[in-house]
């Protein structure tokens, strides 16, 4: 059978006109195996559809060369890890360069400052010629300006050409104005003196501002790398090699990139699992904390799924690879966290609007400040005062802190969440989780394990060792979920027992099953099955069945050779962690509501067991979203927790949906937050993390806004008429350097988040 | 008011007016995407103190490939954010970074640097 056609794109070299394109197109179309080819002259690309068994990229290239043109070889796609390593290297280089620029500026500023202060000691100043001193200061300031501060001016100029103003614009205009004024005062002091103005220089201001701003940038860069540390750690978890079993049985270590689907991989104790797969041989305990946040090792046997980057603790096993590269769980987690970090929280919107218009507005305020000081101050000091305040306004107004407030907190908290097995889809989800006051839990699979388990075995007058093998023999043939629970129970009770064979098996729809085991007729099913077969219950069994039903359990009746001999109580059991987690949520001031498709009796039973007072019973899958709406109509902000496909509409309807990770992809798709661990503690973690993150963001925004709204009027000299206060541009630079660093430091505090 | 004050006042006001006009009201460069034969809408953007072009028109429902070439080292532009498409990318200096997305809704979607100072927008028609 012919395989389906494939499509590829070639970068064509050497085309000079539209007719060249048609040449290439014709040549490609005639090549064997090519179904269609189209060449775009403008983009210099050819799109070719071909049959892979007849044509290869090499033969296609040949066809292009035959037409007289070339194919540009693209560099092979570098992996995400390599790309990220390259970016890291570049960042490290940039950091190193920045530090060097800072140290040069700082060293020179330390020389310039005391020299500028000579004026404070008139006795000392008499021995030094002022013009000479000014020229010395100028010579010392030039390297600060041209080397350390060069980037500010280049960037400001580039921005100006694009009609974009950034923080560099403010620094460049501010320090540039101070420098140019000082330069004029140094070169032509007579011009100033003739107009009754002292030719003061501000070289110290220029140098110190640049040094301080650079210090802020150094600290900022250092803190920023820490915000993505959690992501780096996640990426670093990946195994580098895998021990693949070759068809001959030989075990070979290969780089992880070469592992392919369906390969069989061996994992020894203490080794990392290379990629995702299913165990085919062996048995072990795996530490999956890196993916789920669960610290206890998980037992895995044949058929169980294992995930790349998890740690094999005890046994040795083999698994068949089911996913590689970007499809693996780890890669998807990393992708999800990256996506979340790229999203914007609604809370940031105001800050964004302000940032967009901020710099030009500040420039205008600075110009008006200059004009007002020039017009209102005494003639002898008006120019220096106007200049100093102009510079102070520009320098203090940088809105970096505003821009950093939200993203840095989101970066840290999404990474932290992943560490705890809580995957946050986007910043909006985080913000919504913060407002939640009601958590709606789906019972099955969320509060409970979601699979029935035998909780009671009642066999008055017979022994379990006799009966269980008979029962298991029949139930092994059945596909009913309850039968599975019975088989599991029998295996757990008598692991060493030999399996018996059942013959003449028949499933009775809606009632149970019957078969012959060891020549005896065995019936397992509900009450009606026994009634239909003419088997009656003893008074004792009748009473015991009533008790089990009162506990909201499903009862299976067993008859052997026409005699009712045993009862099995089956129920979906509550997870060990559910009650404690629900208690924690309630202590956080959140009302926990349960919903279930079960009857009110079962619902009441489970609710009581975990401490829930409000619940909805007999909710059909289609009505789940309606229940969410009902709660929302009460004015509540609802978080819905669920795991199945039938939960997806409710997850989407809720203000925030939390999908339990062992659930389906559909549920995860509909949810804002995914919990990697099947336990309700993840809900507590998610809500606590969102509360801390939003609190941090609010603090950040508050500080950033306060700083700018107070800083600008003070720098403009608003307090001068009242208190005689002016803000030195150097102080402004110090404050500005501190502002973004303090916002970053505040965000980094989230790294200390621990699960309560 | 002496003549110097008059000059400074008039000059200052004119300068302020120019700043407002230049950054907020002057015409922007708009570029429409070029569709390749594969149906991908391709746009090359240079990052240098800003994005040029900074307004990009694309069609809805067709994949878009934006290639950002960062032609500077200024740290201001090292990060690219497209919140509506949940994209956060580091742009290495003097290298081209490809960003692919599929616009499914018409509208104007902003992209910015990490601090939201440099701005551009993707206009989906």
């Amino acid at each position: 059978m012919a395989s389906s056609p494939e499509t590829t794109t070639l970068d064509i070299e050497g085309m000079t006109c539209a007719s060249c394109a048609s040449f290439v197109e014709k040549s490609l179309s005639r090549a064997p195996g090519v179904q269609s080819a189209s060449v775009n002259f403008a983009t210099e690309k050819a799109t070719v559809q071909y049959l892979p068994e007849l044509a290869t990229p090499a033969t296609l290239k040949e066809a292009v060369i035959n037409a007289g043109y070339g194919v540009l070889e693209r560099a092979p796609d570098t992996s995400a890890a390599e790309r990220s390593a390259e970016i890291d290297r570049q960042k490290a280089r940039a950091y190193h360069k920045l530090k060097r620029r800072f140290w040069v500026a700082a060293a020179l500023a330390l020389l310039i400052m005391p020299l500028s202060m000579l004026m404070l000691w008139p006795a000392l100043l008499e021995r030094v010629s002022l013009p000479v001193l000014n020229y010395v200061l100028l010579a010392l300031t030039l390297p600060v300006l041209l080397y350390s501060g060069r980037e500010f001016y280049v960037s400001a100029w580039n921005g100006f050409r694009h009609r974009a103003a950034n923080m560099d614009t403010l620094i460049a205009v501010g320090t540039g104005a101070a420098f140019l004024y000082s330069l004029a005062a140094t070169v032509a002091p007579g011009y100033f003196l003739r107009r009754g103005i002292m030719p003061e220089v501000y070289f110290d201001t220029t140098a110190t501002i640049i040094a301080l701003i650079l210090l802020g940038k150094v600290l900022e860069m250092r803190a920023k790398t820490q915000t993505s540390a959690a992501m780096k750690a996640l990426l670093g978890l990946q195994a580098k090699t895998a021990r693949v079993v070759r068809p001959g049985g030989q075990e070979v270590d290969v780089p992880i990139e070469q592992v392919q689907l369906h390969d069989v991989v061996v994992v020894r104790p203490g080794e990392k699992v290379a990629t995702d797969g299913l165990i085919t041989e062996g048995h072990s305990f795996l530490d999956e904390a890196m993916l789920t946040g669960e610290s206890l090792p998980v037992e895995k046997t044949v058929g169980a799924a294992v995930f790349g980057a998890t740690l094999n603790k005890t046994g040795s096993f083999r698994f068949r690879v089911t996913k590689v590269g970007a499809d693996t769980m780890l890669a998807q987690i990393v992708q999800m966290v990256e996506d979340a970090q790229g999203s914007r929280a609604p809370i940031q919107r105001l800050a964004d609007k302000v940032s967009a218009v901020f710099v030009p507005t500040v420039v205008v305020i600075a110009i008006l400040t200059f004009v007002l000081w020039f017009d209102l101050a005494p003639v002898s000091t008006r120019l220096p005062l106007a200049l100093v305040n102009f510079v102070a306004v520009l320098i203090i107004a940088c809105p970096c802190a505003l821009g950093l407030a939200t993203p840095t907190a989101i970066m840290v908290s999404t990474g932290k969440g992943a560490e705890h097995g809580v995957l946050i889809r986007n910043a909006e989800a985080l913000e919504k989780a913060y407002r939640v006051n009601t958590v709606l839990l789906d019972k099955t699979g969320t509060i409970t394990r979601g699979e029935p388990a035998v909780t009671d075995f009642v066999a008055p007058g017979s022994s379990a060792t006799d009966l269980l093998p008979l029962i298991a023999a029949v139930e092994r043939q059945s596909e009913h979920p309850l039968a599975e629970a019975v088989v599991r129970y029998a295996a757990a009770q008598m692991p060493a027992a030999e399996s018996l064979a059942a013959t003449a098996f028949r499933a009775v729809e809606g009632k149970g099953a019957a078969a012959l085991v060891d020549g005896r007729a065995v019936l397992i099913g509900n009450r009606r099955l026994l009634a239909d077969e003419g088997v009656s219950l003893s008074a004792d069994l009748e009473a015991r069945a009533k008790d089990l039903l009162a506990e909201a359990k499903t009862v299976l009746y067993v008859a052997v050779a026409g005699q009712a001999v045993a009862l099995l109580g089956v129920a979906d059991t509550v997870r060990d962690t559910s009650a404690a987690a629900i208690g924690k949520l309630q202590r956080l001031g959140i009302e926990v509501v349960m919903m279930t498709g079960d009857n009110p009796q079962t619902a009441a039973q489970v609710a009581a067991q975990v401490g829930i007072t409000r619940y909805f019973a007999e909710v059909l899958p289609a009505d789940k979203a309606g229940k969410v709406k009902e709660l929302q109509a009460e004015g509540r902000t609802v978080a819905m927790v669920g795991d199945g496909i039938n939960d997806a509409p409710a997850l989407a309807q809720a203000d925030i949906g939390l999908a339990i990770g062992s659930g389906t992809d559909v549920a995860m798709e509909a949810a804002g937050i995914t919990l990697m661990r099947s336990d309700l503690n993840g809900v507590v973690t998610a809500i606590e993390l969102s509360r801390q993150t939003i609190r941090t963001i609010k603090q950040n925004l508050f500080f950033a806004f306060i700083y700018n709204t107070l800083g600008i009027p003070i720098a403009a000299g608003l307090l001068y008429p009242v208190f005689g206060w002016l803000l030195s541009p150097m102080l402004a630079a110090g404050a500005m350097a501190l502002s973004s660093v303090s916002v970053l430091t505040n965000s980094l505090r989230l790294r200390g988040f621990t699960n309560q | 008011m002496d003549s110097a004050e008059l000059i400074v006042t008039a000059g200052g006001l004119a300068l302020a007016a120019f700043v407002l006009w230049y950054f907020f009201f002057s015409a922007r460069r708009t570029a429409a995407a070029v569709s390749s034969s594969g149906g991908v809408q391709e746009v090359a953007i240079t990052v240098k103190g800003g994005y040029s072009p900074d307004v990009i028109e694309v069609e809805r429902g067709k994949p878009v490939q934006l290639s950002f070439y960062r032609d500077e080292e200024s740290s201001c532009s090292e990060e690219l954010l497209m919140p509506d498409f949940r994209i956060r990318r580091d742009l290495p200096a003097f290298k081209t970074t490809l960003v692919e997305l599929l616009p499914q809704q018409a509208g104007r979607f902003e992209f910015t640097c990490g601090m939201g100072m440099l701005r551009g927008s993707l206009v989906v028609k």
Side-chain angles (χ1 to χ4, degrees):
Chain A
M1 201 184 91
S3 58
S4 55
E6 283 182 16
T7 307
T8 187
T9 314
L10 305 172
D11 291 307
I12 310 294
E13 262 182 325
M15 295 191 294
T16 52
C17 58
S19 63
C20 301
S22 73
F23 272 135
V24 177
E25 204 169 278
K26 266 182 207 148
S27 178
L28 276 170
S29 305
R30 283 196 209 113
V34 172
Q35 297 199 315
S36 71
S38 74
V39 177
N40 185 311
F41 170 59
T43 59
E44 301 189 313
K45 279 186 170 63
T47 309
V48 191
Q49 204 176 43
Y50 64 100
L51 295 169
E53 70 265 33
L54 293 174
T56 62
T59 60
L60 298 178
K61 188 179 168 183
E62 216 177 276
V64 176
I65 293 169
N66 285 343
Y69 302 90
V71 173
L72 205 68
E73 292 289 345
R74 272 190 228 195
D77 274 348
T78 45
S79 69
E82 264 176 68
R83 204 184 116 77
S84 126
E86 170 58 29
I87 287 173
D88 282 350
R89 271 195 297 277
Q90 209 176 24
K91 279 193 174 165
R93 269 201 303 274
Y95 180 58
H96 191 74
K97 215 163 131 185
L98 184 67
K99 268 204 307 203
R100 206 169 49 211
R101 284 167 53 207
F102 161 69
W103 283 118
V104 169
L108 288 169
L110 280 177
L111 275 175
I112 293 166
M113 285 279 266
L115 286 177
S116 307
M117 284 173 192
L118 287 183
M119 282 114 111
L120 297 180
W121 291 277
L124 208 64
L125 198 60
E126 271 170 25
R127 298 190 204 159
V128 194
S129 139
L130 197 61
V132 171
L133 178 66
N134 283 353
Y135 273 105
V136 170
L137 287 172
L138 169 65
L140 288 171
T141 307
L142 272 175
V144 179
L145 212 69
L146 298 180
Y147 171 70
S148 299
R150 180 175 175 273
E151 210 172 84
F152 298 133
Y153 305 103
V154 173
S155 167
W157 174 244
N158 286 336
F160 182 76
R161 288 192 353 196
H162 285 93
R163 294 159 204 256
N166 53 38
M167 64 171 283
D168 291 341
T169 312
L170 297 175
I171 296 158
V173 174
T175 57
F179 178 79
L180 289 178
Y181 178 84
S182 309
L183 185 68
T186 305
V187 179
Y191 180 84
F192 289 84
L193 288 168
R194 277 195 298 279
R195 279 160 184 77
I197 305 165
M198 267 299 287
E200 279 184 69
V201 294
Y202 296 97
F203 291 122
D204 54 339
T205 307
T206 311
T208 315
I209 288 175
I210 291 176
L212 281 169
I213 303 280
L214 285 173
L215 172 67
K217 283 205 158 200
V218 168
L219 296 176
E220 186 183 305
M221 212 159 170
R222 209 167 63 181
K224 254 185 166 173
T225 50
Q226 289 169 349
T227 57
S228 56
M231 282 291 301
K232 290 261 156 55
L234 266 180
L235 272 172
L237 286 173
Q238 211 180 9
K240 304 278 178 290
T241 60
R243 188 164 303 129
V244 174
V245 183
R246 292 284 178 233
Q250 188 192 358
E251 293 176 12
V252 195
D253 276 333
V254 300
I256 189 75
E257 296 80 22
Q258 290 175 17
V259 177
Q260 290 179 351
L261 285 182
H262 313 305
D263 276 353
V264 173
V265 177
V266 183
V267 187
R268 305 221 168 105
E271 286 182 345
K272 266 183 194 168
V273 178
T275 184
D276 296 5
L278 294 173
I279 297 188
T280 54
E281 245 183 283
H283 164 262
S284 184
F285 282 87
L286 269 77
D287 176 359
E288 296 190 328
M290 51 296 288
L291 298 185
T292 61
E294 168 65 61
S295 52
L296 290 177
V298 190
E299 188 176 5
K300 303 262 175 173
T301 51
V302 173
V306 291
F307 302 101
T310 58
L311 198 64
N312 182 25
K313 302 291 268 191
T314 51
S316 165
F317 63 88
R318 290 179 174 204
F319 72 93
R320 187 170 295 282
V321 174
T322 54
K323 278 170 184 167
V324 290
D327 296 330
T328 61
M329 183 76 92
L330 180 70
Q332 283 181 353
I333 291 176
V334 169
Q335 187 57 49
M336 202 156 166
V337 176
E338 272 179 359
D339 283 354
Q341 293 183 337
S343 66
R344 243 347 185 210
I347 196 172
Q348 176 77 5
R349 263 180 217 145
L350 177 63
D352 275 353
K353 284 202 180 107
V354 174
S355 294
V357 297
F358 203 84
V359 174
T361 310
V362 167
V363 174
V364 169
I365 294 176
I367 293 171
L368 297 180
T369 302
F370 186 94
V371 169
L372 281 175
W373 276 99
F374 192 88
D375 289 353
L376 301 178
V379 173
S380 60
T381 53
R382 65 186 183 184
L383 189 56
L385 276 175
L387 182 80
V388 166
N389 291 312
F390 171 77
V391 176
V393 169
L394 288 174
I395 299 299
I396 200 151
C398 179
C400 309
L402 214 51
L404 290 171
T406 313
T408 51
I410 303 280
M411 292 273 274
V412 179
S413 83
T414 46
K416 200 73 201 173
E419 241 173 67
H420 284 90
V422 174
L423 295 186
I424 297 152
R425 187 172 287 273
N426 53 40
E428 202 177 341
L430 207 56
E431 199 173 323
K432 281 184 175 162
Y434 160 79
R435 297 180 197 286
V436 163
N437 55 22
T438 307
V439 170
L440 181 59
L441 302 173
D442 179 50
K443 190 203 85 174
T444 312
T446 307
I447 298 176
T448 65
R449 289 200 168 80
E451 48 180 32
V454 174
T455 53
D456 304 80
F457 179 67
V458 183
S462 353
S463 82
T465 41
D466 288 341
L467 283 179
L468 276 175
L470 296 179
I471 297 169
V474 180
E475 294 290 55
R476 258 196 298 277
Q477 309 274 326
S478 169
E479 281 168 2
H480 198 274
L482 288 180
E484 222 174 278
V486 174
V487 173
R488 260 204 316 274
Y489 177 76
Q493 294 296 309
M494 307 168 65
E498 230 170 278
S499 303
L500 297 174
T503 54
F505 174 85
R506 83 194 144 90
V508 186
E509 186 71 33
K511 291 173 194 165
L516 280 176
V517 187
D518 256 4
R520 285 181 279 180
V522 181
L523 287 175
I524 303 164
N526 56 20
R527 188 77 192 259
R528 271 171 57 206
L529 177 75
L530 266 67
D532 288 357
E533 302 285 331
V535 179
S536 57
L537 283 184
S538 65
D540 186 16
L541 282 180
E542 188 91 55
R544 300 293 288 272
K546 213 170 161 188
D547 291 345
L548 289 174
L549 285 170
E551 289 170 35
K553 287 173 180 164
T554 307
V555 181
L556 291 177
Y557 300 83
V558 183
V560 177
Q563 293 286 317
V565 288
L567 299 175
L568 290 160
V570 183
D572 183 7
T573 52
V574 168
R575 288 185 205 280
D576 304 335
T577 51
S578 294
I582 288 167
K584 280 185 213 161
L585 285 173
Q586 287 163 338
R587 278 194 295 283
L588 287 174
I590 290 169
E591 185 177 2
V592 183
V593 182
M594 182 182 87
M595 79 176 152
T596 173
D598 288 348
N599 57 56
Q601 212 178 2
T602 313
Q605 170 87 26
V606 174
Q609 219 176 325
V610 294
I612 290 176
T613 48
R614 185 176 178 190
Y615 56 86
F616 303 113
E618 286 174 344
V619 181
L620 297 172
D623 296 340
K624 285 185 173 177
K627 290 293 170 197
V628 174
K629 271 190 209 156
E630 218 171 276
L631 288 171
Q632 284 170 330
E634 291 173 23
R636 294 157 181 272
T637 308
V638 181
M640 160 80 198
V641 187
D643 70 331
I645 293 178
N646 60 27
D647 293 328
L651 288 170
Q653 170 64 39
D655 295 286
I656 173 84
L658 292 96
I660 286 213
S662 55
T664 59
D665 289 347
V666 183
M668 285 163 74
E669 204 56 49
I673 295 178
T674 299
L675 309 175
M676 298 300 293
R677 195 170 9 151
S678 302
D679 119 27
L680 288 178
N681 276 315
V683 181
V684 184
T685 308
I687 287 177
E688 283 193 328
L689 185 64
S690 78
R691 287 188 176 185
Q692 283 203 24
T693 309
I694 300 298
R695 209 172 322 155
T696 303
I697 291 176
K698 283 185 173 168
Q699 289 162 354
N700 284 351
L701 287 174
F702 174 77
F703 283 125
F705 269 117
I706 273 288
Y707 163 84
N708 275 313
T709 44
L710 291 184
I712 294 175
I714 293 176
L718 212 66
L719 296 181
Y720 185 77
V722 193
F723 303 105
W725 289 353
L726 282 177
L727 188 67
S728 143
M730 285 183 262
L731 269 182
M736 131 96 225
L738 274 179
S739 72
S740 38
V741 175
S742 56
V743 159
L744 271 161
T745 313
N746 195 36
S747 293
L748 284 174
R749 286 196 313 136
L750 281 169
R751 288 196 304 172
F753 175 82
T754 47
N755 206 357
Q756 299 302 309
Chain B
M1 209 178 236
D2 64 20
S3 60
E5 281 170 356
L6 274 175
I7 293 169
V8 165
T9 309
L13 290 178
L15 196 61
F18 169 75
V19 168
L20 290 178
W21 169 81
Y22 187 76
F23 287 107
F24 295 138
F25 299 106
S26 61
R28 304 261 155 175
R29 265 186 67 195
T30 302
V34 181
S35 268
S36 76
S37 48
V40 180
Q41 310 181 74
E42 298 175 355
V43 189
I45 298 160
T46 306
V47 186
K48 192 175 183 182
Y51 304 102
S52 60
D54 60 359
V55 181
I56 291 141
E57 285 180 357
V58 294
E59 276 176 63
R60 189 172 64 162
K62 281 190 194 167
V64 175
Q65 187 187 59
L66 305 173
S67 54
F68 286 89
Y69 177 71
R70 182 162 157 240
D71 194 17
E72 64 177 352
E73 276 190 294
S74 159
S75 61
C76 276
S77 59
E78 72 183 0
E79 232 176 13
L80 170 77
L81 273 184
M82 305 187 83
D84 297 297
F85 300 95
R86 287 183 200 156
I87 290 167
R88 172 187 293 273
R89 248 355 118 67
D90 279 309
L91 305 179
F94 309 114
K95 289 218 164 75
T96 300
T97 306
L98 295 180
V99 174
E100 272 128 7
L101 49 94
L102 183 66
Q104 279 164 326
Q105 281 178 338
R108 196 181 182 93
F109 305 100
E110 286 221 313
F111 54 91
T112 67
C113 69
M115 287 184 190
M117 307 294 296
L118 312 182
R119 282 161 185 271
S121 45
L122 190 71
V123 180
V124 182
K125 298 205 158 171

